[in-house]
Amino acid sequence: MKWMFAIRKALHLLLPRSKISYRFIWLGCIVVSVPIVLAASMYYQYSMKKLTDQFREDSKASVAQLKDRMEGAFMAVEYESLQLAANPVLRNALTAPGFESDYITQQQILDFLSVHKNSSDLVEEIIWYAASSDLVLTNAYGSVKLDGFPQKEA
């Protein structure tokens, strides 16, 4: 606190003690600081607007790039599902009588599903269901009746 009194004392010695001189000093301070504050706030607003626009454009570009990648991934999954649907072994097994006891065909289907599952990073599991025999084939569980299938509710 002593340093404040020292500064005040020095200012009183340097500056005249009339009220008009104090008013001029304050007016000078205000005249100098108001334009600086206005210019700084205008520059801040301009900079924030530019940054906001730049972030918005960058985000739009990122979303467009993500959209293109996702479309490519969905097209790959759709192509794989079309290959699965076009397989004659899978198509014939849907209507074949006695499919639940045809273990050779079931193994062929499981091998085919495993090959397609392992060929894509996006596919975690392929589940094939034959409604006529109430049988579920999956690369994780093999051949299971629908009643005993763990993911029946999903």
Side-chain angles (χ1 to χ4, degrees), residues 16-88:
R17 294 190 177 133
S18 68
K19 289 184 178 184
I20 256 193
S21 64
Y22 284 127
R23 288 182 183 170
F24 281 136
I25 291 171
W26 279 111
L27 181 65
C29 291
I30 290 173
V31 166
V32 169
S33 44
V34 166
I36 290 173
V37 169
L38 287 176
S41 66
M42 288 173 49
Y43 178 73
Y44 173 78
Q45 292 297 326
Y46 173 76
S47 298
M48 289 306 293
K49 184 177 180 337
K50 286 295 244 183
L51 281 175
T52 303
D53 292 344
Q54 182 180 1
F55 285 143
R56 188 172 291 128
E57 291 299 319
D58 291 346
S59 295
K60 284 180 184 178
S62 296
V63 167
Q65 186 178 22
L66 179 65
K67 181 188 77 126
D68 292 341
R69 285 184 182 172
M70 291 304 295
E71 282 179 357
F74 285 140
M75 285 176 54
V77 169
E78 182 181 10
Y79 177 73
E80 287 293 324
S81 66
L82 287 174
Q83 282 185 335
L84 288 170
N87 186 327

Side-chain angles (χ1 to χ4, degrees), residues 112-150:
F112 183 73
L113 294 178
S114 292
V115 166
H116 278 279
K117 180 236 176 251
N118 292 332
S119 68
S120 175
D121 292 337
L122 296 173
V123 178
E124 184 177 325
E125 185 175 11
I126 299 175
I127 299 171
W128 186 79
Y129 172 64
S132 61
S133 60
D134 208 30
L135 193 65
V136 177
L137 296 178
T138 176
N139 55 332
Y141 298 107
S143 176
V144 181
K145 283 289 199 185
L146 183 62
D147 294 334
F149 188 59

